[in-house]
Amino acid sequence: MKATLIARTRIVYSTHSFAELVLWRVPRPVSGSAHEFKYRLAYVVHSVCVVRYDNEVGKGDHRHYGASETSYRFSTSERLIVDFQKDTTRWNDENSNS
């Protein structure tokens, strides 16, 4: 079985910010992950990726928030999207004066 694209969307929030969400179902977990998904969710502001969730091969599930990178405990694709949205809202709240 090949990888199956589940979702690919770009959400434009303003002239300077957007989110891109890509989710695949894979036949075997990618190295470092224990589930059947390969994903990349990114929030970009002024051409800079400020929030990103992904499971890069070998690194497993993790998130980038500003300049920091931390591990992420994946449970479901729905929870992944909720957590991503919370972080984008938090980033906007913390950086509303920038």
Side-chain angles (χ1 to χ4, degrees), residues 5 18 21 23 27 31 37 48 50 58 60 66 68 72 75-76 83 89 93 95 98:
L5 182 63
F18 68 90
L21 294 79
L23 180 66
S31 175
F37 298 102
V48 176
V50 295
S68 70
Y72 174 71
S75 59
T76 67
D83 291 343
T89 299
D93 290 346
N95 294 278
S98 346

Side-chain angles (χ1 to χ4, degrees), residues 4-31:
T4 304
L5 182 63
I6 296 172
R8 173 177 279 161
T9 190
R10 179 178 282 214
I11 303 163
V12 177
Y13 294 106
S14 70
T15 57
H16 63 273
S17 65
F18 68 90
E20 186 170 78
L21 294 79
V22 181
L23 180 66
W24 295 84
R25 176 168 280 119
V26 293
R28 288 175 304 286
V30 297
S31 175

Side-chain angles (χ1 to χ4, degrees), residues 81-98:
I81 293 168
V82 167
D83 291 343
F84 175 74
Q85 290 174 325
K86 283 182 181 178
D87 270 355
T88 59
T89 299
R90 180 179 145 215
W91 193 91
N92 285 329
D93 290 346
E94 290 174 356
N95 294 278
S96 61
N97 295 325
S98 346

Side-chain angles (χ1 to χ4, degrees), residues 20-60:
E20 186 170 78
L21 294 79
V22 181
L23 180 66
W24 295 84
R25 176 168 280 119
V26 293
R28 288 175 304 286
V30 297
S31 175
S33 295
H35 52 80
E36 62 182 346
F37 298 102
K38 171 75 178 141
Y39 59 88
R40 179 184 72 251
L41 290 74
Y43 181 54
V44 178
V45 179
H46 295 293
S47 301
V48 176
C49 183
V50 295
V51 177
R52 186 172 79 240
Y53 283 60
D54 66 300
N55 61 338
E56 184 179 332
V57 172
K59 289 181 94 174

